[in-house]
Each structure stands twice: as C-alpha cells, then as structure tokens.
C-alpha cells in the first residue's frame, strides 16, 4: 500500500484539508471543478482506501476530469500536490500522451528545486511553495516574450493554453421568448387557448444573440520572428475556443491557416501551419496582403461585421499609402479594427513606422502584444466587441 507523506508515521492527520486543497489546485489549473464534482470525489474516496495513492489518483481522475484535455493538467497537478518527498514510489500513469506542463507543476518544481526537503514537511510548506509559484507566474505574465529563456517559454505556453477566449456577440434577426420586447401574437394566442380563451398576459419576443466573427491577421515577417511563435499559439487558442474565427498570416503574401489551427494538439497545429506558410520570416508587404484578403475573403463575407485583429510591428516594404487605402476598405466592412504591436508596450515607443502611421486613422484600438498580460487584455477587448 502506498502511503502519503502526510499520513506517514504513527501520527494521525485528517486527510480532508489536503484533498480539498488538491481540488482548489485543479480549479486554478483550469479544470471545471464544481462543488458537485468535489462531493463525488470525496464520496468515492469514502468507499476506497484514502491512504492509497493510486486509489486517490483514479477517484479524482474519474470524478474531477470533464474532458480528455483535462487529463494532462490533472496528472501534472497530482504529481505536484502529492509528490513523494523521500524517494517513495510514484503513481504510474497509464495515459500514453505527453501531458502538457501546467503552471502549477512547472513553477512549483522550479521554486522548490533548490530547497532541501525534510521529513516534517506538510501543509504549511505546500502553501508557501504555492505562493512562490503564484509570484513567479505573475512576474512571467508581464515579461517581454522576446526576452524569455527556453524554460520560461515552456511555462508561457502552458499559461497560454489556460486562456479562456469568449466570442463577441451581436444581435440576430431571429427573436426568442423574453420578458420584454416586441409583442408575440402567436405565443399570446396559444396561451389564451390553454386558458379557455381568456387573455391573461401578453407574451413578448426579444432579439437573440449570435457569435460575431473574429479575423486574425498575423505578421510572420523577419522583424516579428521573436513573437511569431507566441502569437501563433494565441491564435490557436482563439480558433479552438471561438469557432467563428478565421486566421491568416501576412508577409510577402496572404496564407489562410484556419484549418491547420483547428487541431486540438497545439504542437501539431503549429507544425501544420508552419508547413502551410511559404513566407515565414520573409519580407513585409502589408498593403498587398491586406488587399488580397479584402478582395478574396473580406468582401465575400468573412470580414463583414467582424472583429479584425492585425498583429504587426508596422514595418512596411511597400507603399504606406496602399496600406492606408486597403485598411480603409477593410474598416468599412468590419465592426471593429484592432492593431496589436509588440513594441507598443515598451518605454519610449512612438508610432512613427510607415505602416502604423498609415493605419492609425482606420483603427479603433492600438494595443501592445509583447506579454501574456497584454494578450489577456486583448481577449477581453475581443469579447467586449
């Protein structure tokens, strides 16, 4: 029988706080752990051996995971929370997929890597380690992506996967039953017939809502190379969370990569997108690329009443006047135009590049996109549109 460290020795410790703390860790890691799931988890453990690590693992996995995508984060959080501290046996996970690193597991291991572990470690040390992890995560959220180390980039990728992108909504021409709005004669008469012809209340119809389209245009030229991987991963999250999203890359030409980014695994999605993009780290002809998008896709409905987001630093090898003219055409089709410049959040930045100067009159917002915090703000701007 595998014993938890908290129950080692002759002393008896109440396991309930440790188990409830584990469910809180899963909730912070992005799993939809509700009160009902926690109750089911504790009920299952009441029927099993609470001191058995495999029993606890499988009871939690069967009651707290709602989707196959949750298994990787669950495994990482379980290993971080119930990790053996004196060389004891570990749980052997049967799932053959490589679990994505979670912010909890990666940062907790990093924070406690240089600290010796004693036999008396219990709850308070775990709380302290989690505080260090949260502090490191907060620092990483505001770091410039171009200045991160390879290990920090891995942590950032895990945090990007936790973003919850919500689709912007718009009023539909369809109507739904509501407590106020336009009168609904049909429902009113049917209710009167059920009351033997007596008209007791007036039924109403309210405008329904439907998701607004989102278009992402990502500059993959050489000047955007330090940010291209992060922006592509951000686009993958948005495309997976918002089905009405279309993603294109712009450089010397226009490339549609929506189909490639629909893949669930971000590594496979980015590999497929990389094979589809012929001008990766090439030059920049934003005006020609925007014109190609407007002619082929925008006027045919992709950009109509959509939220259009352009990721670029504004360096333009072509004519800035052409870029301004094409952005004007695109602005007349779109509901909202947002330009995300990774350099806009740095001290001393001024919008003096030719592409930015030409684009400013047609933009609703100019945002920074150099860190996780700025991308989180962009998610909010898209949802509020």
């Amino acid at each position: 029988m595998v014993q938890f460290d908290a129950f080692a020795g002759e002393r008896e410790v109440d396991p309930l706080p440790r188990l409830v703390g584990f469910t809180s860790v899963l909730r912070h890691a992005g799993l939809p752990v509700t009160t009902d799931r926690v109750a089911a988890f504790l009920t299952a453990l009441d029927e099993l051996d609470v001191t058995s690590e495999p029993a606890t693992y499988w009871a939690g996995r069967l009651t707290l995971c709602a989707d196959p995508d949750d298994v990787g984060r669950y495994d990482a959080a379980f290993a971080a929370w119930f990790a053996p501290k004196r060389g004891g046996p570990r749980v052997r996970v049967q799932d053959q997929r490589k679990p994505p690193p979670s912010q909890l597991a990666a940062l907790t291991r990093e924070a406690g890597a240089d600290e010796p572990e004693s036999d008396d470690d219990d709850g308070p040390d775990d709380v302290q380690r989690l505080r260090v992890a949260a502090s490191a995560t907060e620092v990483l959220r505001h770091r410039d992506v171009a200045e991160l180390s390879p290990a920090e980039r891995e942590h950032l990728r895990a945090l990007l996967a936790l973003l919850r992108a919500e689709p912007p909504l718009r009023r539909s021409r369809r109507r739904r039953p509501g407590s106020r709005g336009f009168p609904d004669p049909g429902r009113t008469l049917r209710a009167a017939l059920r009351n033997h012809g007596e008209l007791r209340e007036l039924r109403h119809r309210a405008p329904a809502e439907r998701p607004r389209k989102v278009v992402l245009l990502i500059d993959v030229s050489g000047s955007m190379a330090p940010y291209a991987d992060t922006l592509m991963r951000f686009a993958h999250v948005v495309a997976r969370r918002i089905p009405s999203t279309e993603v294109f890359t712009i450089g010397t030409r226009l490339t549609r990569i929506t189909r490639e980014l629909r893949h669930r695994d971000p590594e496979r999605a980015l590999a497929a997108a990389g094979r589809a993009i012929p001008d990766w780290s090439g030059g920049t002809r934003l005006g020609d690329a925007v014109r190609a998008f407007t002619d082929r896709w925008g006027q045919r409905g992709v950009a109509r009443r959509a939220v259009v987001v352009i990721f670029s630093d504004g360096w333009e090898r072509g004519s800035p006047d052409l870029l301004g003219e094409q952005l004007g055409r695109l602005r007349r089709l779109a509901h909202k135009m947002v330009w995300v410049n990774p350099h806009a959040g740095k001290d001393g930045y001024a919008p003096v590049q030719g592409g930015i100067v030409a684009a400013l009159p047609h933009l609703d917002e100019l945002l920074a996109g150099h860190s996780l915090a700025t991308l989180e703000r962009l998610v909010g701007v898209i949802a509020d549109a």
Side-chain angles (χ1 to χ4, degrees):
M1 180 182 299
V2 180
Q3 296 283 344
F4 289 126
D5 292 340
F7 311 119
E10 298 298 330
R11 55 181 181 168
E12 293 185 0
V13 180
D14 183 11
L16 184 60
R18 187 172 178 84
L19 297 173
V20 174
F22 173 57
T23 61
S24 299
V25 170
L26 292 177
R27 190 177 295 110
H28 287 292
L31 272 69
V33 179
T34 62
T35 305
D36 294 339
R37 293 184 182 277
V38 175
F41 173 53
L42 297 177
T43 302
L45 284 178
D46 191 42
E47 301 294 332
L48 301 172
D49 184 3
V50 74
T51 63
S52 172
E53 190 171 355
T56 303
Y57 170 82
W58 286 108
R61 177 164 167 174
L62 294 175
T63 57
L64 301 176
C65 293
D67 188 86
D69 289 342
D70 296 338
V71 175
R73 284 178 289 180
Y74 174 84
D75 291 344
F78 188 92
W81 188 255
F82 296 113
K85 298 181 179 180
R86 293 187 296 274
R90 288 184 176 272
V91 177
R92 190 175 293 275
V93 181
Q94 300 298 326
D95 192 22
Q96 299 298 320
R97 296 178 301 170
K98 180 180 179 182
S102 71
Q103 64 183 76
L104 173 68
L107 294 177
T108 303
R109 287 196 298 267
E110 182 183 39
D114 298 329
E115 297 178 2
E117 296 177 349
S118 63
D119 293 344
D120 296 332
D121 289 341
D122 52 11
D125 290 333
D126 292 334
V127 174
Q128 180 65 26
R129 188 178 295 109
L130 288 176
R131 288 176 180 173
V132 174
S135 177
T137 302
E138 185 64 23
V139 172
L140 184 62
R141 288 179 62 251
H142 298 277
R143 290 279 304 278
D144 193 322
V145 173
E147 301 174 356
L148 298 182
S149 64
E152 290 171 333
R153 287 182 181 272
E154 288 295 330
H155 299 165
L156 179 66
R157 292 169 183 173
L159 296 178
L160 280 172
L162 300 178
L163 288 178
R164 291 291 182 263
E166 298 293 338
L169 301 177
R170 68 179 182 87
R171 284 193 173 186
S172 171
R173 293 184 179 180
R174 295 182 179 272
R175 302 186 187 278
R176 56 175 177 79
S179 58
R180 62 182 62 184
F182 297 93
D184 190 342
R187 293 179 60 241
T188 301
L189 291 177
R190 286 192 295 271
L193 290 176
R194 289 193 294 269
N195 295 322
H196 306 287
E198 181 180 353
L199 185 62
R200 294 184 178 179
E201 61 176 331
L202 181 64
R203 302 297 177 92
H204 297 84
R205 294 180 299 171
E209 291 182 334
R210 60 180 302 178
R212 190 181 294 277
K213 290 174 288 188
V214 178
V215 178
L216 306 181
L217 302 175
I218 305 176
D219 186 350
V220 293
S221 61
S223 61
M224 289 287 292
Y227 303 95
D229 179 78
T230 300
L231 296 180
M232 293 290 287
R233 292 179 183 275
F234 174 81
H236 174 260
V237 172
V238 176
R240 289 278 301 158
R241 302 286 183 182
I242 306 178
S244 58
T245 301
E246 289 285 347
V247 186
F248 299 82
T249 61
I250 52 178
T252 57
R253 57 179 297 177
L254 178 75
T255 306
R256 181 175 181 263
I257 58 172
T258 305
R259 181 177 300 176
E260 287 76 9
L261 293 185
R262 295 295 186 196
H263 200 286
R264 174 175 294 179
D265 186 357
E267 302 302 330
R268 294 185 179 181
L270 265 66
R275 291 190 297 267
I277 301 172
D279 55 343
W280 189 280
S281 295
T284 311
R285 302 188 68 87
L286 299 177
D288 294 334
V290 174
R291 177 171 58 184
F293 168 75
T294 306
D295 290 343
R296 184 177 179 183
W297 301 94
Q299 291 185 335
R300 297 184 180 183
V302 172
R304 294 186 183 276
R305 298 183 297 275
V307 180
V308 179
V309 184
I310 302 176
F311 300 86
S312 178
D313 55 4
W315 291 105
E316 170 68 311
R317 292 179 56 185
S319 171
D321 295 335
L322 175 62
L323 176 60
E325 176 186 347
Q326 298 306 316
L327 288 176
R329 293 178 57 203
L330 185 57
R331 182 63 188 88
R332 290 189 288 272
L333 295 172
H335 172 72
K336 187 170 187 176
M337 287 268 292
V338 180
W339 190 293
V340 179
N341 187 339
H343 303 299
K346 301 179 180 179
D347 295 337
Y349 170 79
V352 296
Q353 297 87 356
I356 293 293
V357 173
L360 280 177
H362 310 288
L363 302 180
D364 294 293
E365 291 196 51
L366 174 63
L367 302 177
H370 65 290
S371 66
L372 176 62
T374 57
L375 294 178
E376 290 174 344
R377 182 189 174 193
L378 175 60
V379 169
V381 170
I382 293 175
D384 293 340

